[in-house]
Amino acid sequence: MPSLKDVKSKIAGVGKTKQITKAMNMVASAKLRGAQARIERFRPYAEKYRDVLSDVAAKADGAAHPLLERRTERHVTVVVLATSDRGLCGGFNAMLIARALDIAAERAREGGTVKFICVGKKGRDAIRKSGYEILSAYTDLGSVDFGIAAGIGKDVVSGYINRTMDEVVVVYGRFVTVSRQAATALPVLPVQPAAAEAPARQEEGAAEDYVYEPRVASLLATLLPRFVNVQIYRALLDTAASENAARMTAMDNATRNCDEMAAALTLLYNKTRQASITNELIDIVGGAEALQ
């Protein structure tokens, strides 16, 4: 049985750990409010952008712009992996890294080459160990900025037009709820516009035909690169919100575990102390009987 001093030291250590996890939970909660507000504000814009692009692209064929071209063979696939810079957020980063490596393994089995663009230290470090080529890495970002998404978008658009890339997929953590984050793989290039109009909108009598000025080809030249930037930025915002939600949940679980450990150690301390008192009483009674 451990000594009273050892048990008391463990109880004090658990108490200090609880203070740290509780503070980190509060920090993650505060950051989550801001990150969640940003993604909730940006989603309607991204969805409306997709609707407009869908309608414009429906008036043109795949030859209207290089970003609409669907290639039969995927020789080079680029995976944009969005993770966090820091850990202590449960299995969030491991989930995203596993999804990205699954995609890479699938493309490799098809005979293609896979390269990575990493956003976040955790993803960069994991891909380095896996042996895949990293084209670029963005770390120590602090907060998500549209300039980062625009920089990545510029690189992948240029690579796709110049045919050094045949496919671009973004792997990110989609924020569903505070307790749920989903590893999502979003094909970015070639651009895949959504369905033009939902049946419900047609029933409501929404306009189905628009006249665009300038010509559709000119609009696509402007809209498509920006559409790629918007998709990447949305993925980064989702990942930021998911990271803070995962960290808040992980620190909340850690705080509860500290309470359980402290209760168990307190019980052990009391048992150890009681055993020590019992042994002392036995020695006293034994000594008294020996004197008689």
Side-chain angles (χ1 to χ4, degrees):
M1 186 173 289
S3 65
L4 289 173
K5 184 178 180 181
D6 293 338
V7 177
K8 197 171 184 178
S9 298
K10 289 182 180 180
I11 293 174
V14 170
K16 292 179 181 178
T17 303
K18 179 183 175 181
Q19 291 178 350
I20 295 172
T21 57
K22 192 172 182 180
M24 293 185 67
N25 177 280
M26 295 174 65
V27 172
S29 177
K31 290 183 176 180
L32 174 61
R33 286 194 291 271
Q36 185 176 356
R38 291 181 71 186
I39 186 58
E40 287 178 350
R41 288 196 304 266
F42 191 74
R43 274 177 181 166
Y45 171 78
E47 291 170 359
K48 192 62 179 177
Y49 199 119
R50 189 177 186 87
D51 291 342
V52 172
L53 181 62
S54 174
D55 187 77
V56 176
K59 301 179 183 301
D61 56 14
H65 195 278
L67 298 184
L68 294 175
E69 178 188 355
R70 299 184 62 82
R71 296 165 189 171
T72 56
E73 296 183 0
R74 297 177 296 194
H75 297 291
V76 179
T77 297
V78 174
V79 178
V80 181
L81 175 58
T83 60
S84 67
D85 282 319
R86 298 180 296 126
L88 297 177
C89 48
F92 174 69
N93 289 311
M95 171 183 67
L96 297 177
I97 293 167
R99 183 65 185 275
L101 292 178
D102 286 344
I103 294 173
E106 181 182 350
R107 298 297 187 270
R109 286 194 296 269
E110 296 173 355
T113 301
V114 181
K115 301 179 182 181
F116 280 83
I117 296 176
C118 298
V119 181
K121 286 183 179 179
K122 294 300 179 179
R124 181 202 63 184
D125 295 343
I127 299 304
R128 277 180 179 174
K129 294 178 182 177
S130 68
Y132 289 103
E133 180 182 352
I134 298 178
L135 297 176
S136 58
Y138 300 81
T139 59
D140 297 320
L141 300 179
S143 61
V144 179
D145 184 77
F146 189 79
I148 300 168
I152 298 173
K154 182 180 178 181
D155 292 341
V156 297
V157 166
S158 175
Y160 194 82
I161 292 176
N162 295 329
R163 293 185 174 273
T164 59
M165 305 174 186
D166 298 309
E167 181 188 27
V168 178
V169 180
V170 178
V171 176
Y172 67 100
R174 182 168 57 90
F175 178 79
V176 182
T177 63
V178 174
S179 59
R180 185 186 170 202
Q181 302 84 40
T184 304
L186 176 66
V188 173
L189 290 175
V191 173
Q192 301 175 357
E197 291 291 338
R201 293 186 181 181
Q202 295 178 2
E203 293 176 1
E204 293 173 0
E208 298 180 8
D209 193 18
Y210 298 89
V211 177
Y212 293 100
E213 292 183 2
R215 293 180 303 174
V216 171
S218 301
L219 284 174
L220 288 175
T222 302
L223 290 178
L224 285 172
R226 292 183 181 179
F227 176 74
V228 174
N229 297 344
V230 167
Q231 294 285 54
I232 295 174
Y233 185 56
R234 178 179 180 175
L236 296 182
L237 288 179
D238 257 311
T239 301
S242 297
E243 173 197 350
N244 287 296
R247 181 170 292 111
M248 188 181 73
T249 302
M251 292 301 101
D252 187 51
N253 292 335
T255 301
R256 285 199 298 267
N257 290 337
C258 286
D259 289 334
E260 294 175 1
M261 290 180 64
L265 288 171
T266 301
L267 181 60
L268 177 61
Y269 178 84
N270 292 335
K271 288 182 178 180
T272 304
R273 182 171 176 271
Q274 186 63 45
S276 176
I277 294 173
T278 302
N279 290 332
E280 290 178 2
L281 288 175
I282 291 174
D283 291 340
I284 292 172
V285 172
E289 291 180 352
L291 291 175
Q292 291 177 358

